[in-house]
Amino acid sequence: MNILIVAESCFGNTLTVARAVGSGLARALGEESITVLRPGEAPRELRSDIGLLLVGAPTHGFSMPRRQSREQAAEKGATGSDSVGVREWIAQVTAREDLRAVTFDTSVKMRFSPGSASKSAAKALKKRGFPQAERGQSFYVTGTAGPLADGEEQRAEAWGAQLAGALSEDGGGSR
Ligand SMILES: Cc1cc2nc3c(=O)[nH]c(=O)nc-3n(C[C@H](O)[C@H](O)[C@H](O)COP(=O)(O)O)c2cc1C
């Protein structure tokens, strides 16, 4: 079974999380093939051997990034912004009802936040035709440009291993 991780990132933190989740999955699943792609490189047609889809993005304006918020990130020094982000990728990907999809994001820790990229990505995926889409985890950065807060990379790796465990219990992610 293949696992596809689609991750958008402006300053690099979400990409670091995506790679850590991927190594947690790889550590637990061994031989499985895990691919991390930026939304602009990710396929619009998901091959049938993809058994788990993960979608991650930085939280911008309590939601997924938009063109304007990516430009604001660039004004704050981001050099890695995607022109096609997860918002645009989800709008174009062909639905797969059988595929489990789990979202994640990076955010600044706030006492109260009305929304996050992972929440809006899960909602958008459901609307797009992924009924098994669910919100996963938020990982915290210490400021707009990062870095990730202490222990967050390790938490991301542990979460990857936990997702792998759930896949094995589900009988290879066939649910
Ligand atoms: C335009 C803009 C809007 C943001 N809005 C939020 C927000 O609503 N909530 C939040 O927690 N963080 C917000 N942030 C902080 C980002 O979540 C942070 O930059 C991101 O996690 C870094 O990830 P990256 O390195 O992958 O870009 C915002 C950042 C930018 C640039």
Side-chain angles (χ1 to χ4, degrees), residues 104-174:
F104 62 94
D105 67 71
T106 57
S107 304
V108 176
K109 199 164 197 164
M110 294 184 196
R111 269 167 69 91
F112 173 75
S113 173
S116 65
S118 57
K119 191 173 172 185
S120 47
K123 200 169 156 191
L125 280 163
K126 276 208 169 114
K127 198 169 162 203
R128 185 73 195 152
F130 291 80
Q132 300 188 53
E134 62 188 271
R135 180 185 178 185
Q137 302 264 326
S138 290
F139 297 91
Y140 297 107
V141 290
T142 54
T144 299
L148 286 162
D150 279 353
E152 289 299 79
E153 204 172 330
Q154 293 76 3
R155 187 162 73 86
E157 192 169 338
W159 183 56
Q162 195 188 319
L163 284 171
L167 279 180
S168 319
E169 282 161 26
D170 283 354
S174 57

Side-chain angles (χ1 to χ4, degrees), residues 31-65:
E31 299 297 306
E32 305 289 320
S33 153
I34 292 137
T35 311
V36 180
L37 292 175
R38 315 278 301 219
E41 316 165 323
R44 267 56 174 171
E45 299 290 332
L46 301 172
R47 289 196 327 251
S48 58
D49 62 355
I50 295 174
L52 174 66
L53 170 68
L54 298 182
V55 178
T59 295
H60 281 184
F62 309 118
S63 183
M64 291 180 281

Side-chain angles (χ1 to χ4, degrees), residues 57-80:
T59 295
H60 281 184
F62 309 118
S63 183
M64 291 180 281
R66 295 182 158 83
R67 188 172 53 82
Q68 199 183 3
S69 71
R70 292 181 198 117
E71 286 168 7
Q72 286 166 1
E75 283 161 17
K76 291 176 197 283
T79 52

